[in-house]
Amino acid sequence: MMSPSYSATSSEEYLLRPVAVYCGACLGTEPAYEYAAASLGRALSVHGRPLVYGGGSRGMMGTVSGAVLQHGGSVTAVIPTAILVAGGEGGTTERYIELEGQGREKIELVVVESMHERKVEMARRVCGFVGLPGGYGTLEEIMEVTTWTQLGIHSKPVVLVNVLGFFDPLRALIKNAIASGFIPARNERLIIFVDAPPGANPMTFNWGAAALAALDCWSSPGPGYFTWKPSAPNGDSTAEFS
């Protein structure tokens, strides 16, 4: 089994480290999605929390990274070679990688060889993960880093910005998996859902501040399933039960 070769951060390092954000390469159908992405980017910058993300400059990815840059924050983009050469994510009719755009020369660009390397590189650089609305890629990334905490590869929070109930079906699926005996009840806490208060306007609520507060308040539900040993020369890792 392949596994990332990095360890969990100490509490002293935690508040100083960057945050990975997973989100869509398009804006979706609701203006509140874009507003939440901008709110998160602004909060990251104001609180001195660098952004690590997948490198797009349009859609939700462009909105959150643009907001960080606009407010003087730091951004690192991690992009596989194939996606960079092809012009970005989102298919062949639209281009999403525009690091030459105004202000984007400040982005630190990290080019990797595969999608797996991208996920490992992003994860090892950050203290936690925030998910905004997105598609298959966003959902896959959220679930993989959550699984890594369950397995004990790392111990880091995952926060989902639940704009207009976007992630409600995922929350229901997790609860159903717990009720069906596939997820331990304690591991429901591996993912934190950030909801707006009842009656709050999703176009004015401070999603970014709420997401960072959730990151900072997170505590691990317990040790992961395994204790991971260093990778072997062939890249494989072995594990023992914790």
Side-chain angles (χ1 to χ4, degrees), residues 75-148:
V75 177
T76 297
V78 183
I79 307 174
T81 300
I83 292 178
L84 183 63
V85 170
E89 299 177 66
T92 59
T93 60
E94 295 187 72
R95 299 304 186 188
Y96 290 93
I97 303 295
E98 295 180 350
L99 295 177
E100 73 279 6
Q102 184 176 3
R104 292 188 172 267
E105 69 279 358
K106 299 176 183 177
I107 295 177
E108 177 191 4
L109 178 62
V110 178
V111 180
V112 296
E113 291 305 312
S114 69
M115 292 295 286
H116 180 75
E117 288 181 42
R118 180 201 225 178
K119 288 182 282 190
V120 171
E121 186 64 26
M122 289 179 68
R124 76 171 187 85
R125 288 171 173 261
V126 303
C127 66
F129 311 91
V130 176
L132 291 162
Y136 284 132
T138 301
L139 296 172
E140 184 269 338
E141 288 165 330
I142 288 166
M143 298 314 298
E144 180 152 20
V145 294
T146 302
T147 302
W148 288 355

Side-chain angles (χ1 to χ4, degrees), residues 2-242:
M2 298 291 292
S3 70
S5 55
Y6 63 91
S7 59
T9 59
S10 69
S11 58
E12 291 78 11
E13 293 174 311
Y14 176 79
L15 294 177
L16 302 176
R17 295 200 63 196
V19 175
V21 174
Y22 302 129
C23 56
C26 59
L27 290 174
T29 58
E30 298 291 340
Y33 300 152
E34 182 179 10
Y35 171 81
S39 174
L40 178 59
R42 182 171 57 253
L44 288 169
S45 179
V46 168
H47 290 87
R49 306 290 284 272
L51 166 68
V52 177
Y53 83 123
S57 62
R58 296 186 183 176
M60 299 286 282
M61 298 173 75
T63 298
V64 66
S65 59
V68 173
L69 293 171
Q70 181 182 354
H71 292 87
S74 173
V75 177
T76 297
V78 183
I79 307 174
T81 300
I83 292 178
L84 183 63
V85 170
E89 299 177 66
T92 59
T93 60
E94 295 187 72
R95 299 304 186 188
Y96 290 93
I97 303 295
E98 295 180 350
L99 295 177
E100 73 279 6
Q102 184 176 3
R104 292 188 172 267
E105 69 279 358
K106 299 176 183 177
I107 295 177
E108 177 191 4
L109 178 62
V110 178
V111 180
V112 296
E113 291 305 312
S114 69
M115 292 295 286
H116 180 75
E117 288 181 42
R118 180 201 225 178
K119 288 182 282 190
V120 171
E121 186 64 26
M122 289 179 68
R124 76 171 187 85
R125 288 171 173 261
V126 303
C127 66
F129 311 91
V130 176
L132 291 162
Y136 284 132
T138 301
L139 296 172
E140 184 269 338
E141 288 165 330
I142 288 166
M143 298 314 298
E144 180 152 20
V145 294
T146 302
T147 302
W148 288 355
T149 292
Q150 179 168 264
L151 293 177
I153 293 171
H154 64 198
S155 182
K156 301 181 180 183
V158 175
V159 170
L160 301 186
V161 180
N162 195 28
V163 188
L164 300 177
F166 179 85
F167 288 108
D168 281 350
L170 177 58
R171 177 156 48 191
L173 179 61
I174 293 169
K175 289 183 179 296
N176 185 56
I178 292 169
S180 300
F182 291 105
I183 296 176
R186 71 182 179 110
N187 284 349
E188 184 174 5
R189 293 169 49 200
L190 295 182
I191 296 180
I192 305 168
F193 294 83
V194 171
D195 301 289
N201 185 342
M203 291 293 292
T204 58
F205 180 63
N206 194 337
W207 293 103
L212 293 185
L215 278 178
D216 293 344
C217 291
W218 183 80
S219 61
S220 172
Y225 292 164
F226 304 101
T227 299
W228 293 86
K229 295 181 178 180
S231 296
N234 65 0
D236 292 338
S237 295
T238 58
E240 298 175 341
F241 280 108
S242 297

